[in-house]
Amino acid sequence: MSGSFRQKLLRTPLSTMALAGGRLLHPSILALLGRDVLGAAAGAGESQRHLEATMQWLCRAQDHAEGGGVSGGYSVITGWLAPYPEATACLIPTFFDYAQQARKEEFRDRALRMADWTVRVQMPLGAVQAGLYRGEGRARRPAVFNTGQGIAGWCRAFAETSDTRYLEAAVRAGNWLLNVQGPDGAWHRSEQETETGVHAYDAKTALALLDLFQITRDERYRKAARAALDWTLTRQRDNGWFEHNAFFVSSDKWNLPLTSTIAYVLEGLEGAWRILDDPRYWKAAYKTADKLMRIFEVRRALPGEFDENWKSIATYACLAGNAQLAALWLRFYDTSADTRFLNAALKLNDAVKATQLLHAAHGGIRGGVKGSQPIFGRYTRFTFVTWGAKCLADALMLEERTMASFQGAVLRDLRKPAAADPVPAAAAVSS
Amino acid sequence: MRVILFARLPVWYPFRCDRLATRLMEEGHEVAGIVVERAPTFATLHDWLAKLGPGLCLKKGLVMAARLLGRLWKRPAAAARRRPPVFLVSSHNSSMSVELVRALSPDVIILRGCGIIQWPLLEIPTLGTIGLHYAALPAFRGQDVTEWAALLGGPIAVSLHFVTEGVDTGSVLASRHVPVEAGDTLGRLREKSAALAVELVVEALAKLEAGTAVPRSQQAGDGRQYFAMHPRLKCLAIERLRRAS
């Protein structure tokens, strides 16, 4: 048991401990803990079933928070968490996509409620706050990454509805990001949720600015995004690993890049390449994605964190990171026609699906995605996290689309030829 | 020529019926031993079932049993009566295994299904270590290559290559297409590949002995290294094969 966790436990009031004890006695949770302690894995079922269960879990997470926001997750110790503005904003595109794919209008309505709520809780200076939202009365601090995710969610809501409230919120947030950006293109700030002050994973924030640029055509956003992305490129080492990509410096916390933060960098670079058609971004992202794919195939599992030599002593998997990487590999298959990425993505999605409980009686865990596998792993211990479920839903939707097109191509004998040049033209690729 | 075979199989496997060993002895080669790394029974059966399918597995089992019974029933030919010695090792790369192979002083080691072989072993045979690979090289390196070739519309082939430290990157000694016929499944293609591989080994050893072998080197970066195929892709490979044949 790590020091910080022990201290946290000692600080917990007795009443909370008693409630936690009650929760832990639920047969579904006991079964879950038993399964994780023994290392027993369930088989992965059909992706569609897992997708439906995941979306139902996300609906429950929204229903447990007030006003349209989505809970940060379900802790088997403390129950449903307060709504999380960043995760809620992230979910807006996911719910629009699912509504379209499943032809269920309910999910579109939910996405709009999420968008409305995130606009309501946007900070007066334009930023999205760090951490969970516990009411107006509580102190709130702005967070760069979260603001980027807010912009992405609002841009999508605007694209779907043409409601200018969302665009105005995104512009306010974008302007705040421009104001706090450093001259080197990075955002150097001490923030509530992290100990580290500058982050390579803000490449994803830069991507959000590019989303905003695409709607407003305001060059300031494109310029700021380019500066941030170029700074990110300077953080990549020759072996593909990114510096400044961990949340913490203390060794008892997540002081190494998680697969999730690595994936954020790659999502930012790959997404930016699609918009800007700059091959440097694609090459940098490809290098790291390819490295991780090989590590996964050789080890047959992906540990949750990596040091600068791509070594890891982690005994847990970061499930959100796994799902993000699976989605990324699917995108790299799409652009490079390298079927190995598709193969690895299917296997990694299976690895995440195998950790889900689809038949548990407990609504907090049925269809949810844990922060860590096993649940007592170092990342968001004992908690089913909303962003993990969101990432899995995105990955499974993309998997279905990709497999449908791959199957059609293979059976019609129209397989894409292997790319001679590893850098495809962004214009030739669907976004 | 003095040959050693490396295999990873359960201890109950009837090595006296091993197709490659028998054929090599019939051709007058000396099979100095079969060095076997013990494989768990359940995992091996599971692997065979996945690769060949239940029908072909059953058929192979029956053929093997018939061969064994036949040997008991009638007097086999002189070459077939000789049995290659079987050596069980914990790992092919263990020091015990290295010492054993040194003592056997082979001209050639042939890998017929085993893990990655490391350097001290590779330098022992005087002519080299040969790997059997069920796909065209360098296009399809790595695992499940018959399946990958079927899925991606590549040629179904067998290659023999010298084993180096890279994965299937050594010079190619011989390569031949496996004819695909109507009704062929992945399992049947694997079976055909196995039979063809035996013939290729015989031809390659003859050429090596005569000094007429011309290995074709592979360029670094040629082809792709594939990994174990996901079941959904395997189903697609089977379906493609079914439609193609």
Side-chain angles (χ1 to χ4, degrees):
Chain A
M1 193 187 297
S2 72
S4 67
F5 182 66
R6 193 180 297 120
Q7 282 168 11
K8 208 171 164 184
L9 204 64
L10 290 173
R11 283 201 306 269
T12 309
L14 269 178
S15 56
T16 310
M17 299 260 273
L19 276 172
R23 269 188 206 101
L24 288 169
L25 287 175
H26 192 286
S28 297
I29 294 179
L30 279 177
L32 160 76
L33 293 173
R35 203 174 84 157
D36 278 14
V37 166
L38 294 172
E46 277 184 21
S47 290
Q48 193 57 36
R49 277 181 54 222
H50 284 271
L51 174 60
E52 281 164 19
T54 307
M55 292 306 295
Q56 289 305 323
W57 184 89
L58 285 167
C59 290
R60 286 195 292 279
Q62 187 179 31
D63 295 341
H64 275 89
E66 285 175 12
V70 182
S71 161
Y74 181 83
S75 160
V76 296
I77 310 286
T78 58
W80 287 101
L81 307 179
Y84 192 7
E86 186 249 328
T88 305
C90 277
L91 277 166
I92 296 169
T94 304
F95 270 63
F96 277 127
D97 287 344
Y98 186 72
Q100 206 171 5
Q101 180 169 319
R103 294 194 180 86
K104 288 180 180 169
E105 196 63 18
E106 177 208 344
F107 289 89
R108 184 182 161 82
D109 296 342
R110 283 182 176 275
L112 291 175
R113 279 167 53 207
M114 289 174 197
D116 291 343
W117 181 79
T118 46
V119 170
R120 276 204 304 280
V121 302
Q122 184 178 19
M123 296 180 75
L125 42 75
V128 172
Q129 70 171 80
L132 303 174
Y133 178 78
R134 297 179 193 280
E136 280 296 329
R138 302 288 284 267
R140 299 194 292 158
R141 289 185 64 183
V144 168
F145 183 81
N146 301 14
T147 304
Q149 301 324 294
I151 293 172
W154 293 322
C155 284
R156 179 63 187 269
F158 173 73
E160 293 282 342
T161 62
S162 302
D163 186 333
T164 52
R165 285 180 307 132
Y166 304 131
L167 183 58
E168 284 161 12
V171 166
R172 278 201 306 277
N175 291 343
W176 179 77
L177 284 178
L178 297 188
N179 287 339
V180 296
Q181 189 176 28
D184 59 353
W187 285 277
H188 300 262
R189 292 175 60 80
S190 74
E191 293 186 333
Q192 185 179 316
E193 289 174 307
T194 61
E195 284 174 359
T196 46
V198 61
H199 305 116
Y201 60 75
D202 274 326
K204 187 95 194 270
T205 311
L207 177 60
L209 283 176
L210 287 176
D211 287 345
L212 189 53
F213 160 73
Q214 285 198 299
I215 294 174
T216 62
R217 309 312 293 182
D218 185 335
E219 278 294 326
R220 291 178 308 147
Y221 301 128
R222 192 173 71 95
K223 209 173 146 194
R226 257 201 185 281
L229 291 161
D230 290 349
W231 176 85
T232 309
L233 292 184
T234 65
R235 301 298 98 191
Q236 190 179 31
R237 295 202 182 166
D238 287 343
N239 65 359
W241 191 81
F242 286 92
E243 299 165 355
H244 295 296
N245 203 21
F247 289 126
F248 298 100
V249 288
S250 321
S251 61
D252 60 339
K253 294 180 184 166
W254 319 319
N255 62 333
L256 288 174
L258 298 160
T259 45
S260 177
T261 55
I262 297 169
Y264 281 139
V265 182
L266 306 190
E267 285 169 9
L269 291 171
E270 198 268 353
W273 163 74
R274 284 174 189 265
I275 295 169
L276 299 173
D277 202 7
D278 185 335
R280 291 177 307 145
Y281 302 143
W282 193 87
K283 279 181 181 168
Y286 180 88
K287 186 189 235 181
T288 310
D290 186 59
K291 178 78 189 174
L292 282 163
M293 185 260 283
R294 285 166 195 276
I295 291 172
F296 169 64
E297 290 286 16
V298 171
R299 295 179 68 144
R300 292 169 191 247
L302 211 50
E305 59 192 42
F306 287 98
D307 71 11
E308 68 272 24
N309 297 313
W310 290 111
K311 301 279 182 222
S312 180
I313 53 164
T315 53
Y316 71 94
C318 168
L319 296 180
N322 280 4
Q324 284 171 269
L325 283 171
L328 262 163
W329 289 340
L330 289 169
R331 292 168 83 89
F332 275 107
Y333 158 69
D334 186 40
T335 52
S336 68
D338 185 342
T339 325
R340 293 174 304 172
F341 280 116
L342 172 61
N343 187 48
L346 293 174
K347 289 194 260 183
L348 195 53
N349 269 345
D350 276 1
V352 182
K353 287 189 297 184
T355 68
Q356 282 191 300
L357 297 164
L358 300 190
H359 303 291
H362 195 299
I365 65 174
R366 187 177 59 250
V369 174
K370 291 170 266 187
S372 286
Q373 173 65 22
I375 197 167
F376 41 83
R378 177 157 115 115
Y379 180 63
T380 58
R381 199 172 263 137
F382 294 119
T383 306
F384 285 77
V385 292
T386 301
W387 56 98
K390 172 246 167 7
C391 294
L392 180 62
D394 287 344
L396 293 180
M397 282 191 275
L398 188 55
E399 178 189 305
E400 286 312 296
R401 288 200 298 273
T402 309
M403 277 305 287
S405 105
F406 180 71
Q407 183 168 339
V410 163
L411 297 183
R412 285 195 313 271
D413 203 13
L414 296 173
R415 180 180 61 85
K416 295 176 194 176
D421 179 357
V423 185
V429 176
S430 58
S431 56
Chain B
M1 191 174 286
R2 200 170 159 79
V3 180
I4 292 181
L5 305 184
F6 272 25
R8 191 168 184 276
L9 288 163
V11 282
W12 48 260
Y13 182 82
F15 293 99
R16 69 169 72 181
C17 292
D18 186 78
R19 184 163 40 186
L20 179 58
T22 309
R23 186 80 171 84
L24 289 176
M25 287 189 293
E26 282 169 5
E27 288 296 317
H29 296 293
E30 183 189 352
V31 179
I34 305 178
V35 181
V36 179
E37 188 178 300
R38 191 188 301 233
T41 296
F42 181 75
T44 308
L45 290 176
H46 183 269
D47 191 40
W48 287 351
L49 272 172
K51 289 217 157 92
L52 299 176
L56 212 51
C57 266
L58 187 66
K59 191 177 157 193
K60 264 178 78 84
L62 290 173
V63 166
M64 218 170 254
R67 267 194 219 155
L68 274 171
L69 282 173
R71 276 167 178 257
L72 293 175
W73 195 253
K74 63 179 183 184
R75 185 181 162 82
R81 275 205 311 273
R82 291 199 306 269
R83 282 190 210 164
V86 176
F87 303 97
L88 281 178
V89 292
S90 58
S91 156
H92 280 129
N93 294 304
S94 65
S95 54
M96 194 191 105
S97 167
V98 174
E99 287 313 307
L100 170 71
V101 174
R102 275 214 177 95
L104 293 171
S105 60
D107 296 315
V108 170
I109 295 177
I110 298 172
L111 310 184
R112 57 172 304 304
C114 61
I116 292 172
I117 300 300
Q118 287 163 359
W119 187 245
L121 277 167
L122 295 179
E123 64 181 2
I124 297 174
T126 51
L127 292 176
T129 301
I130 297 174
L132 276 58
H133 188 74
Y134 290 180
L137 285 174
F140 295 95
R141 295 189 280 113
Q143 293 172 268
D144 283 355
V145 280
T146 306
E147 286 82 351
W148 280 109
L151 178 73
L152 300 180
I156 307 295
V158 175
S159 302
L160 296 189
H161 63 94
F162 280 118
V163 177
T164 56
E165 280 184 315
V167 177
D168 304 328
T169 50
S171 302
V172 179
L173 256 176
S175 194
R176 196 166 297 163
H177 283 204
V178 177
V180 182
E181 292 157 284
D184 273 352
T185 59
L186 282 172
R188 271 187 61 81
L189 287 177
R190 282 193 160 269
E191 263 302 281
K192 282 185 182 180
S193 301
L196 181 59
V198 171
E199 297 313 311
L200 276 187
V201 169
V202 169
E203 288 172 25
L205 290 189
K207 282 184 182 171
L208 277 176
E209 214 163 21
T212 55
V214 187
R216 169 172 53 87
S217 65
Q218 299 187 63
Q219 299 301 314
D222 278 356
R224 282 175 173 165
Q225 184 190 347
Y226 289 89
F227 300 94
M229 187 183 273
H230 187 273
R232 278 183 82 178
L233 297 187
K234 208 168 269 186
C235 288
L236 264 180
I238 291 166
E239 180 60 20
R240 178 173 183 150
L241 200 59
R242 195 184 64 76
R243 291 192 184 193
S245 63

